[in-house]
């Protein structure tokens, strides 16, 4: 049986290396990717899921035309919960875009799980790596 996934030709930048279907970037790159994120978010009426992040990220999405009622913001107490939430958001298939703000993956296994979840879903994902000092304490 042959599968033809429509997302196979999507862009993927992994630490400035083009390779697949999700982007792993520094948090400072968020503004540079906003036109692409905006385009993907406005194509459907599905959720735009933000995992981690901050109020400025949400405001940039709203300023780009994404309705607040379509933004699902998941905080998570720590990096492990944000990693898990990223994987679950991808597997659920209810979001057009998943934006995750992580200090980095806790292990190569977690990175592989998120990558696999991204491949099997029809959800675009962007993982922005943040220095641990920028993660909100609440």
């Amino acid at each position: 049986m042959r599968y033809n996934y429509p997302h196979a030709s999507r862009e993927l930048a992994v630490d400035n290396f083009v390779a697949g279907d999700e982007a792993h970037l520094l948090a400072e790159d968020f503004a540079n990717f906003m036109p692409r994120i905006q385009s993907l978010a406005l194509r459907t009426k599905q959720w735009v899921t933000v995992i981690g992040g901050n109020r400025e990220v949400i405001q940039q999405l709203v300023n780009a035309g994404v309705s607040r009622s379509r933004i699902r913001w998941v905080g998570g107490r720590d990096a492990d919960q944000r990693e898990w939430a990223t994987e679950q958001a991808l597997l659920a298939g209810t979001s057009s875009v998943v934006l995750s703000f992580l200090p980095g993956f806790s292990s190569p296994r977690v990175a592989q799980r998120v990558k696999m979840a991204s491949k099997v879903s029809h959800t675009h994902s962007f993982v922005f790596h943040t220095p641990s000092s920028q993660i909100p304490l609440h």
Side-chain angles (χ1 to χ4, degrees):
M1 180 178 267
R2 187 170 176 200
Y3 295 98
N4 185 15
Y5 293 109
H7 64 280
S9 64
R10 292 184 200 159
E11 297 173 23
L12 168 65
V14 180
D15 297 326
N16 299 324
F17 169 74
V18 177
D21 188 35
E22 77 224 41
H24 296 266
L25 306 153
L26 295 176
E28 295 83 36
D29 294 328
F30 179 71
N32 296 332
F33 272 79
M34 184 49 80
R36 174 110 170 103
I37 293 167
Q38 175 189 22
S39 170
L40 294 169
L42 298 177
R43 282 187 192 171
T44 70
K45 297 292 182 192
Q46 290 183 306
W47 291 104
V48 173
T49 301
V50 178
I51 300 166
N54 54 35
R55 294 182 196 278
E56 290 80 27
V57 168
I58 303 303
Q59 190 58 50
Q60 284 182 336
L61 288 168
V62 170
N63 292 346
V66 179
S67 170
R68 280 190 193 272
S69 64
R70 289 188 44 232
I71 299 172
R72 180 172 35 191
W73 187 12
V74 179
R77 280 184 246 143
D78 55 26
D80 289 338
Q81 284 189 349
R82 288 188 294 277
E83 289 170 349
W84 180 84
T86 300
E87 182 182 1
Q88 295 307 305
L90 289 168
L91 292 173
T94 58
S95 301
S96 59
V97 180
V98 174
L99 307 172
S100 188
F101 293 83
L102 300 169
F105 290 112
S106 60
S107 72
R109 183 172 187 232
V110 172
Q112 186 66 23
R113 288 175 59 105
V114 169
K115 185 176 181 179
M116 293 303 293
S118 181
K119 282 184 178 183
V120 300
S121 79
H122 294 286
T123 304
H124 293 271
S125 64
F126 296 84
V127 177
F128 295 95
H129 294 291
T130 59
S132 57
S133 63
Q134 289 184 354
I135 297 173
L137 298 175
H138 50 73

